[in-house]
Amino acid sequence: MAEKLSAVKGMNDIAPPVSAHWEWLEDTLRSLMRCYGYRNVRTPIVEPTALFVRGLGEVTDIVEKEMYSFEDRLNGEQLTLRPENTAGVVRAAVEHSMLYDGGKRLYYMGPMFRHERPQRGRYRQFHQFGAEALGFAGPDVDVELIVMACDLWTHLGLEGIELEINSLGQPAERLAHRQALISYLEEHADLLDEDARRRLHSNPLRILDTKNPAMQAMVNGAPHLMAFLGAESLDHFNRLRALLDAQGIAYRINPRLVRGMDYYNLSVFEFVTTQLGSQGTVCAGGRYDGLFEQIGGKPAPAVGWALGMERILELLKEQGKLPEPAAPDAYAVIPDAAALSVAMPLLRQLRAHGVSVAMHAGGAEGMGSMKSQFKKADASGARYALVFGAQELEQSMVALKFLRGDRAAETGQQLRPLAEVAAWGPGLRST
């Protein structure tokens, strides 16, 4: 016997009935994007490694430790399975001159890859949904994206998600803050853990996001970036706050909120929950006006967010908000294989009218007993059974039996004419 093969750890199969929850979430997200005028963009899973090194920053955790990178044996190219998709979307926008006729509102959905230890809500292959607004400079679009996420929580029925916001200012302002921050951290070098010491001169801003309890008091006393912001950065942030206030969107200013990628500036935000343990961020984003130039394009403003679909589904499960998997409208009970030549064309007509029908499938020994077929019909969750019995077919009829709802207790069956499926068939469709 051949050795049994399993999926790579942290890269999970998604099968029924769980896949129905994914489809429902995907449909909800697509519907929301249509309401806001965002259009779908699809980029390759594999990108040049340089895209992420240049876009995310060489000293980020993603580039240093988490990317799946390899050399293409065909031509020696350095390639990487995408660890995130903002850089890929901007690469596509630059490559295809998408902004030649104005800004674009885009969204994407698909798998990302990071080489890290799998844990709850965090996997080596995970799925992100992201919304990106390219070519828009004002805080109004920042707020549009935040409100869009708030609307999503409402559509999904999720509770207990809080919004945190901050401003990272512009590069020159961050540089001044960086120098002050390094000086402060050097004064408290004895309190820094190994990770913080490694980042001290390469990416000190990330130290502020430490989860080490022993460093919290020291980090809380560090210089705030907000104190280094100039008039334009402050104006952008204050206008963003005013627009959020005008729509009644509650938020908390978190001066320690930073992003793990180098391309962010000005507005940053996160939606967080306390119901997923240490993986409390369910959606995060911000403005990244410098990314176009970093990857070789003309300067262009941009803002966006991404959410982890596994985390959203985990939170929906935690709050009991996942829907029941969709069941077929009807189940076709076929006592004898001879009835298939009549049943299959009729079922095809029903499907053309939007009625979902599962057909009983026989085996090598025949179609099986009526009792076993009705058990399968009931287990399918269908509202109706369509019985193609010999007596019914002699009358050019099919028998309809209620399996769900107020009439499920009825013992009899109703006959429907095969030739008039267009008249009665649509009535079987779930509303």
Side-chain angles (χ1 to χ4, degrees), residues 52-79:
F52 303 112
V53 174
R54 201 187 305 176
L56 307 186
E58 291 187 45
V59 294
T60 57
D61 283 351
I62 294 176
V63 172
E64 287 184 328
K65 299 185 294 185
E66 298 174 2
M67 293 202 312
Y68 281 95
S69 298
F70 59 95
E71 182 178 297
D72 187 339
R73 287 179 293 179
L74 183 65
N75 52 26
E77 284 184 293
Q78 298 300 315
L79 304 176

Side-chain angles (χ1 to χ4, degrees), residues 330 383-387 398-402 412-416 424 428:
R383 296 177 62 201
Y384 309 97
L386 293 172
V387 185
V398 61
L400 175 70
K401 178 171 177 55
F402 295 90
Q413 300 175 349
Q414 297 184 359
L415 297 181
R416 296 285 190 272
W424 58 265
L428 304 184

Side-chain angles (χ1 to χ4, degrees), residues 93-231:
V94 171
E95 183 172 342
H96 302 291
S97 302
M98 288 187 189
L99 305 188
Y100 79 96
D101 59 348
K104 295 290 182 294
R105 289 174 164 91
L106 306 172
Y107 75 88
Y108 62 84
M109 183 185 333
M112 312 293 158
F113 304 85
R114 295 188 190 179
H115 192 276
E116 56 187 348
R117 182 176 300 163
Q119 52 187 295
R120 182 187 185 191
R122 191 167 186 164
Y123 306 101
R124 289 175 175 173
Q125 177 178 306
F126 59 102
H127 297 77
Q128 279 190 344
F129 183 98
E132 313 286 357
L134 311 179
F136 304 97
D140 52 336
V141 179
D142 304 15
V143 173
E144 175 183 88
L145 281 156
I146 291 173
V147 172
M148 180 196 298
C150 292
D151 286 349
L152 176 61
W153 314 143
T154 300
H155 290 326
L156 296 176
L158 286 172
E159 300 172 349
I161 297 179
E162 298 181 349
L163 170 64
E164 296 183 348
I165 64 173
N166 192 22
S167 176
L168 299 182
Q170 298 291 8
E173 297 158 356
R174 284 206 305 279
L175 179 60
H177 172 254
R178 183 179 188 276
Q179 293 168 343
L181 180 59
I182 290 175
S183 297
Y184 174 83
L185 295 172
E186 286 177 337
E187 293 174 4
H188 299 83
D190 56 324
L191 298 176
L192 300 180
D193 58 22
E194 182 180 349
D195 193 46
R197 286 193 294 271
R198 181 177 58 84
R199 287 172 164 165
L200 178 57
H201 294 283
S202 60
N203 196 359
L205 200 62
R206 292 292 293 156
I207 298 176
L208 301 180
D209 197 32
T210 180
K211 301 300 188 291
N212 186 344
M215 292 174 53
Q216 290 301 321
M218 180 272 294
V219 164
N220 289 339
H224 286 196
L225 176 55
M226 198 72 69
F228 293 81
L229 299 188

